[in-house]
């Protein structure tokens, strides 16, 4: 996961500098996948988004024909990427809350 794309995405740390946010987000990523054990969920999310792209392309192509298949594949991939980013942000938020809770304690 590229945590740099999530800089300025979380209200909890938005007031910090970009470098400080990146360091905290890296700790949150490690916490999410190692400490909280969410790596399996991340793999499931990846599989879910790939299946979503396939279903969008297959259904739309069956309704409109093969001429528009590249459009539907592109749209399916784009929707899947947006979905995957949102799901990963949720996992990263769980790690972030864990990191912030451990720093407050």
């Amino acid at each position: 996961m590229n945590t740099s794309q999530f800089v300025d995405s979380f209200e909890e740390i938005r007031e910090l500098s970009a470098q400080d946010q990146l360091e905290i987000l890296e700790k949150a990523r490690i916490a999410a996948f190692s400490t909280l054990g969410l790596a399996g969920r991340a793999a499931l999310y990846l599989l879910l988004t790939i299946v979503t792209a396939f279903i969008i392309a297959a259904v739309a192509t069956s309704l409109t024909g093969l001429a528009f298949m590249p459009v539907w594949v592109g749209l399916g991939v784009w929707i899947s990427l947006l979905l995957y980013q949102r799901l990963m942000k949720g996992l990263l938020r769980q790690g972030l809350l864990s990191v912030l809770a451990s720093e407050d304690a």
Side-chain angles (χ1 to χ4, degrees):
M1 175 191 309
N2 183 7
T3 55
S4 63
Q5 68 186 0
F6 295 106
V7 171
D8 291 332
S9 294
F10 297 102
E11 292 291 328
E12 296 89 346
I13 59 172
R14 188 169 287 166
E15 71 277 352
L16 300 174
S17 70
Q19 184 62 34
D20 290 340
Q21 286 185 46
L22 191 57
E23 289 174 12
I24 292 173
L25 289 175
E26 277 299 313
K27 290 179 187 176
R29 181 185 62 81
I30 292 169
F33 293 118
S34 298
T35 309
L36 299 176
L38 299 176
R41 189 177 295 178
L44 179 65
Y45 288 167
L46 178 63
L47 182 63
L48 174 71
T49 56
I50 291 170
V51 169
T52 301
F54 176 76
I55 289 173
I56 290 171
V59 170
T61 299
S62 69
L63 295 175
T64 61
L66 291 175
F68 292 105
M69 187 172 88
V71 173
W72 302 127
V73 169
L75 182 65
V77 168
W78 182 70
I79 290 171
S80 293
L81 287 174
L82 291 177
L83 177 64
Y84 184 72
Q85 184 176 12
R86 178 165 290 190
L87 293 171
M88 288 297 107
K89 184 177 179 181
L91 292 180
L92 192 58
R93 178 175 297 283
Q94 291 178 20
L96 178 63
L97 294 176
S98 173
V99 167
L100 293 177
S102 68
E103 287 181 357
D104 288 341

